[in-house]
Structure formats: C-alpha cells, structure tokens
Amino acid sequence: QVQLVESGGGLVQAGGSLRLSCAAFGRTFINYAMVWFRQAPGKEREFVAAIRWSGTSTYYADCVKGRFTISRADAKNAVYLQMNSLKPEDTAVYYCAARSGVVVTTTPSVYPSWGQGTQVAVSS
C-alpha cells in the first residue's frame, strides 16, 4: 500500500515562497508519476505539476509555469514543490498523488494514491 504524507504548507504574503514536501512510503517508486494537485474552496481539484520518478521530465500547469518547480530526492523517496512569487489565487489545499506508469495525466481520478493535503494560504 502506497502512503503519501505532505508537509510545508502555511500562510504567506503575496510574492513570498513556500516549499511543499511529499514523503512516500510503502514501495520503491521506479516508473511512478508523482503529481501535485490543488483544490480551492468551491472549486474542482486541479493539476499543478508532475514529475516522472524514473526520469527528469517535468510538467506544469500554465498558471504556475515559471513560478513553481517540482523536484524529487530519490534517496529520501520524496517529492518537493518549490513555490515562488505566490499569488492570492494560489490559495488552496495542495495534494500529492502517485500512479504507476510513465504516462503523466492531469486527471485526478486516475491516481489511486493520495496524501491528506496541506493548506497553503496567500494573503494580498
């Protein structure tokens, strides 16, 4: 059973930075896609960024390109999301998700493994 645990959320002023972490437990993650989604109040869960565990390919939503960076630490079985130049519209609960296979998809329903989420709030 895959377990994912997020941390690093908090309250920050617009223009500030946060670094989210996702620790993965339960198995090795070769050939797994690791993805960050977010969900704001009253809105649907949306794709933010993804990285293939076995490669260096990364993918970003247009709204975060140039501001967010996804990375991984193989030795720690962890994935990170560095968020810079934060905006009030980035306020949401951020979730880490995992799926076996090399294909990255932005559809939340195809990811079987999820963390509990971490709250990010950006004040104006």
Side-chain angles (χ1 to χ4, degrees), residues 20 24 26-27 33 38 42 86 90-91 105 112 118 122:
L20 305 183
R27 59 163 298 142
R38 68 185 183 187
L86 282 161
D90 294 318
T91 295
T105 174
T118 185
V122 184

Side-chain angles (χ1 to χ4, degrees), residues 7-115:
S7 61
L11 174 64
V12 64
Q13 289 188 330
S17 299
L18 284 174
R19 186 189 192 214
L20 305 183
S21 299
C22 173
F25 304 92
R27 59 163 298 142
T28 58
F29 288 87
I30 296 173
N31 291 331
Y32 263 66
M34 304 296 293
V35 186
W36 286 97
F37 288 89
R38 68 185 183 187
Q39 188 165 18
K43 295 188 177 181
E44 302 218 341
R45 194 164 296 190
E46 64 174 356
F47 169 80
V48 176
I51 188 168
R52 292 182 183 173
W53 200 267
S54 58
T56 58
S57 299
T58 57
Y59 310 85
Y60 297 94
D62 288 343
C63 59
V64 305
K65 278 182 183 176
R67 300 188 298 123
F68 291 11
T69 303
I70 189 171
S71 62
R72 68 179 194 271
D74 293 349
K76 296 182 179 180
N77 236 23
V79 176
Y80 306 101
L81 185 68
Q82 177 66 43
M83 306 186 296
N84 298 328
S85 302
L86 282 161
K87 304 175 181 180
E89 50 264 44
D90 294 318
T91 295
V93 177
Y94 283 69
Y95 297 91
C96 178
R99 175 176 181 261
S100 63
V102 297
V103 175
V104 172
T105 174
T106 61
T107 305
S109 61
V110 304
Y111 289 88
S113 302
W114 291 84

